[in-house]
Amino acid sequence: MSPPDAPHLVVRQVSKRFGAAHVLDRVDLTIAHGELVTLLGPSGCGKTTLLRMIAGLESPDFGAIELAGRDITRVPPHRRNVGFVFQSYALFPHLTVYGNVAFGLKSRGRTRGDIDAAVKRALSLVHLEHLGARRIAALSGGQQQRVALARAIAVEPEVLLFDEALSALDRKLREEMQVELRLLLREIGATAIFVTHDQDEALTMSDRVAVMFAGRIEQVAEPRVVYARPASLFTLGFVGLSTRIPGTVAASGEGRVEVDTAIGRLSAIGNFIVGAPVILAVRPEHLRPAAAPSGNCASGRVRSIVFHGANSLIEIEAVAETTLLAQTANDASAHLKVGDATRLCWPVAETFAFPDPGAGA
Amino acid sequence: MTVAAAPAPPRGSSVDREQSMALAFLAPSLLFLLLAFVTPLVLLLGVSVSGRSGLSLESYAKLLGTGYYLNVIWNSLRLALLTTILALAIAYPAAFALARARGMVRTALLSCLFLPLAASVIVKAFAWTILLRSDGIVNRILIALHVIDAPIRMIFTETALVVGSVNIFLPFMVLPIYAVVTQLDRRLMEAAATLGAPPVAAFLKIVVPLTMPGVIAGVALVFSLAVSAYVVPTLLIGELYPTLASTIAKAYLLARDPQFGAAAGVVLLIIAIIVVTLSARLAGRENDR
């Protein structure tokens, strides 16, 4: 993926309140041309409101939105040239598949020949070229999803906006569509923003993920960075699994801290003053049964094993009610059983320290 | 564009089963209609063609061949048409207001719509005569406001007739449209907007076609009710504006000519059947599109 060059979509200090509640709180976001970005967060975090604002279906109380070099903050939706794919698809039930896809082109006053060519192209991109005359009610959920997509891309919008667009599909179809959609968007060079609460979808689909919580963007980064280097405790918890151990900083220096915890002294990445309450975190795939201890280590007893095909997720009960989460490959070696005693170690470089939000309160 | 293959028909057995179930559920109402509706209609049809000396079409000839009675038919149609058009013009936006309203406002608006249905049409028609007569409330207010110097004639005019008729039949237009509007997905308007359609175009291309089934149902209801109205024209305009309904009443009650009354009744019925059938056809086509 190329780094963001000329900004295509700029969201600047956008805020919105409904009554006393901040739906969006000074949100900044810059998206390059051709970039696929996901707004990821729990329901109520403001991600859908932000998406609808970019489409012009909501208006911000403060802040500005620029698209392709034009300030569109106060431009009504029908003059924005955006494509929007709704969660419920919002297809026009009284029109055929063709009529739905042609709607945006007709609104733009294109000629008959132009419309016909564009509809055919859009329908063939989503592999529905043979269903143009079909009524919407006669389509399956997956086909309706494709029509909604074809309708949005037919007008070649400046940006495509997807509001939980895949969430109505069943799991297998959704995973296929994720891959197909990403390829399709790359092929037509589209700039797209997805809104989802599904972390797998976010990690699969996007060049960058913006993790949102309580009306703010917590972190914007490539999927692997969001996962491997979460910027906040919220991101850590929302994307992927982790072991969390509270403790107090005993020594600090050069980007590393020594932390006293219930399971002993551990090292982690971070800058804190001595005595600060922190939470240490590590992803499960870094915990390994170790012959020769290196980095951070802890002993415990296997409490449960959840089989996931290629690997298993193991819960280990350490001392002082601390639970460690480890993911191990299901190869022939080292089969742990429930009740086994084991010692696990993990690299200091994969151990993050976050300020403990519960300690200061 | 390719022509799509017809969707595969559902399995025959389940359709048969569904149909026989439907028939079973319909049986009581069909039986009732047969006894209480079809039988009298057949009798009515028989009476309308039986003269003093056997089979006779003279009543129909009189109805459809005399200027006076053609005018009567036209009066009924005109009243129904004017009432339907005006009711539609008022009811369409009202249905949207009703659908958008929330909480107490919605309850209040719905009550305004439903409660008048509980009052007899005679009461409502009399109320209009009180409002509109020369020393009625409307004239007094207009004089007090110096809009007019002397009472103007309002009652016994076609305007009064149509106003009263619209007032009385309006709920039958609002309710079917309201029912469709509440089903309308607001995202469709948003989708149209993001696709570049300005609000007016989106309304015409999306909302109007999708609310058409409600409009058709309302038009069929109000037209049928207004074309056969008896109380409203009798009280609000009377002899000046003879309608099919008043002609039927006169034939039975004054002229003691049941054959003519029955013939007028059949003509009225045919008009209503044509309107309802046309509406059903239109509604069916809307659904098929």
Side-chain angles (χ1 to χ4, degrees):
Chain A
M1 179 219 129
S2 58
D5 35 41
H8 184 61
L9 176 76
V10 182
V11 174
R12 194 169 288 139
Q13 291 288 297
V14 159
S15 298
K16 174 96 177 169
R17 309 176 74 125
F18 288 137
H22 264 298
V23 178
L24 290 175
D25 188 8
R26 285 161 290 159
V27 168
D28 283 306
L29 184 65
T30 303
I31 294 174
H33 193 273
E35 211 181 357
L36 310 179
V37 173
T38 295
L39 306 178
L40 175 69
S43 57
C45 71
K47 58 191 192 296
T48 294
T49 305
L50 179 56
L51 193 79
R52 288 170 59 82
M53 266 177 199
I54 295 166
L57 301 173
E58 312 258 358
S59 51
D61 297 338
F62 302 103
I65 301 171
E66 285 163 30
L67 179 61
R70 182 168 72 122
D71 184 342
I72 57 163
T73 315
R74 303 287 159 206
V75 174
H78 64 273
R79 292 206 215 106
R80 287 196 180 194
N81 198 23
V82 298
F84 203 103
V85 181
F86 293 83
Q87 181 172 15
S88 59
Y89 311 143
L91 296 173
F92 306 129
H94 59 299
L95 302 177
T96 59
V97 168
Y98 186 97
N100 269 276
V101 179
F103 191 92
L105 299 152
K106 284 182 182 163
S107 297
R108 284 162 170 75
R110 302 275 177 82
T111 65
R112 219 168 216 293
D114 277 3
I115 292 173
D116 208 46
V119 171
K120 273 186 180 151
R121 185 175 124 81
L123 282 178
S124 77
L125 277 169
V126 299
H127 309 296
L128 286 184
E129 51 272 71
H130 55 296
L131 292 183
R134 198 61 84 76
R135 290 176 51 209
I136 297 305
L139 299 177
S140 70
Q143 288 170 332
Q144 292 191 13
Q145 214 281 329
R146 284 160 189 271
V147 176
L149 176 61
R151 184 176 70 175
I153 61 178
V155 295
E156 295 175 14
E158 295 286 357
V159 60
L160 274 164
L161 307 169
F162 296 83
D163 184 11
E164 304 267 5
L166 301 179
S167 64
L169 303 177
D170 62 63
R171 191 193 161 101
K172 194 164 174 342
L173 194 55
R174 187 168 69 235
E175 284 170 0
E176 283 169 16
M177 270 308 281
Q178 285 169 7
V179 177
E180 188 183 326
L181 184 55
R182 189 181 159 90
L183 284 173
L184 190 155
L185 293 173
R186 279 277 180 264
E187 185 184 333
I188 62 176
T191 309
I193 305 177
F194 310 96
V195 153
T196 185
H197 60 268
D198 178 346
Q199 48 160 310
D200 293 332
E201 192 170 310
L203 299 180
T204 311
M205 300 283 290
S206 20
D207 300 327
R208 281 192 302 155
V209 177
V211 182
M212 290 185 70
F213 180 62
R216 288 171 164 277
I217 291 183
E218 296 264 324
Q219 183 174 12
V220 193
E222 289 169 51
R224 64 177 65 250
V225 174
V226 168
Y227 180 80
R229 293 286 176 267
S232 68
L233 210 50
F234 174 79
T235 304
L236 171 87
F238 197 75
V239 181
L241 298 166
S242 57
T243 297
R244 285 179 241 189
I245 307 161
T248 308
V249 175
S252 174
E254 288 168 10
R256 266 182 73 148
V257 285
E258 303 295 319
V259 179
D260 283 329
T261 73
I263 58 170
R265 178 165 287 201
L266 301 174
S267 303
I269 306 290
N271 286 306
F272 290 92
I273 55 164
V274 172
V278 294
I279 289 182
L280 299 185
V282 57
R283 298 289 188 192
E285 62 271 21
H286 299 302
L287 273 69
R288 297 247 157 71
S294 69
N296 294 316
C297 293
S299 301
R301 206 164 275 283
V302 176
R303 185 198 288 157
S304 72
I305 302 175
V306 180
F307 180 70
H308 280 298
N311 47 52
S312 287
L313 203 60
I314 303 175
E315 265 188 351
I316 292 118
E317 208 173 338
V319 290
E321 294 182 345
T322 304
T323 302
L324 306 175
L325 213 51
Q327 181 183 294
T328 59
N330 281 330
D331 46 26
S333 66
H335 281 301
L336 285 170
K337 292 190 297 296
V338 173
D340 285 355
T342 182
R343 184 166 177 79
L344 296 166
C345 295
W346 63 94
V348 173
E350 297 297 341
T351 313
F352 328 117
F354 296 101
D356 187 345
Chain B
M1 200 171 78
T2 53
V3 177
R11 276 168 302 155
S13 59
S14 76
V15 168
D16 289 347
R17 209 192 137 118
E18 254 173 49
Q19 278 179 348
S20 54
M21 282 286 275
L23 211 61
F25 283 127
L26 277 174
S29 51
L30 285 177
L31 196 69
F32 175 79
L33 285 177
L34 188 73
L35 289 174
F37 197 64
V38 178
T39 318
L41 276 185
V42 172
L43 292 175
L44 186 78
L45 211 62
V47 173
S48 76
V49 292
S50 44
R52 273 174 217 93
S53 46
L55 193 70
S56 142
L57 290 175
E58 74 180 283
S59 291
Y60 289 101
K62 189 169 149 193
L63 258 176
L64 303 173
T66 358
Y68 175 80
Y69 287 113
L70 283 177
N71 190 48
V72 166
I73 295 174
W74 169 237
N75 278 350
S76 284
L77 287 175
R78 189 179 153 86
L79 170 62
L81 218 59
L82 287 172
T83 305
T84 307
I85 292 168
L86 273 171
L88 179 59
I90 297 169
Y92 199 73
F96 279 86
L98 207 55
R100 295 274 155 90
R102 291 284 171 268
M104 286 302 290
V105 180
R106 185 177 212 164
T107 313
L109 287 174
L110 276 172
S111 308
C112 290
L113 196 64
F114 277 111
L115 286 180
L117 291 176
S120 157
V121 64
I122 301 182
V123 174
K124 282 181 278 187
F126 265 123
W128 276 106
T129 67
I130 294 167
L131 278 174
L132 297 178
R133 66 185 183 217
S134 52
D135 61 341
I137 294 164
V138 175
N139 266 319
R140 281 198 221 166
I141 290 172
L142 289 178
I143 290 169
L145 292 175
H146 300 290
V147 178
I148 50 173
D149 297 327
I152 50 168
R153 190 181 141 128
M154 282 182 256
I155 191 93
F156 305 132
T157 61
E158 191 180 34
T159 311
L161 172 64
V162 172
V163 167
S165 169
V166 166
N167 168 248
I168 286 160
F169 297 128
L170 191 62
F172 300 98
M173 186 67 85
V174 176
L175 287 176
I177 300 176
Y178 166 68
V180 178
V181 171
T182 53
Q183 297 296 309
L184 209 58
D185 182 357
R186 281 226 215 167
R187 307 260 169 209
L188 296 180
M189 284 296 277
E190 294 183 348
T194 61
L195 288 165
V200 174
F203 182 80
L204 292 177
K205 285 179 184 169
I206 306 299
V207 175
V208 169
L210 287 176
T211 50
M212 215 28 91
V215 170
I216 291 167
V219 165
L221 270 174
V222 170
F223 192 92
S224 319
L225 287 169
V227 80
S228 58
Y230 173 65
V231 173
V232 178
T234 307
L235 288 181
L236 289 181
I237 194 163
E239 289 298 314
L240 294 170
Y241 199 95
T243 60
L244 273 170
S246 66
T247 302
I248 296 169
K250 237 186 285 172
Y252 276 104
L253 301 174
L254 300 176
R256 305 275 169 201
D257 186 352
Q259 190 198 351
F260 187 66
V266 170
V267 169
L268 190 54
L269 187 67
I270 288 171
I271 293 173
I273 287 174
I274 290 173
V275 170
V276 172
T277 316
L278 269 177
S279 318
R281 274 273 181 82
L282 279 174
R285 197 188 303 162
E286 284 297 328
N287 286 339
D288 274 352
R289 269 214 310 222

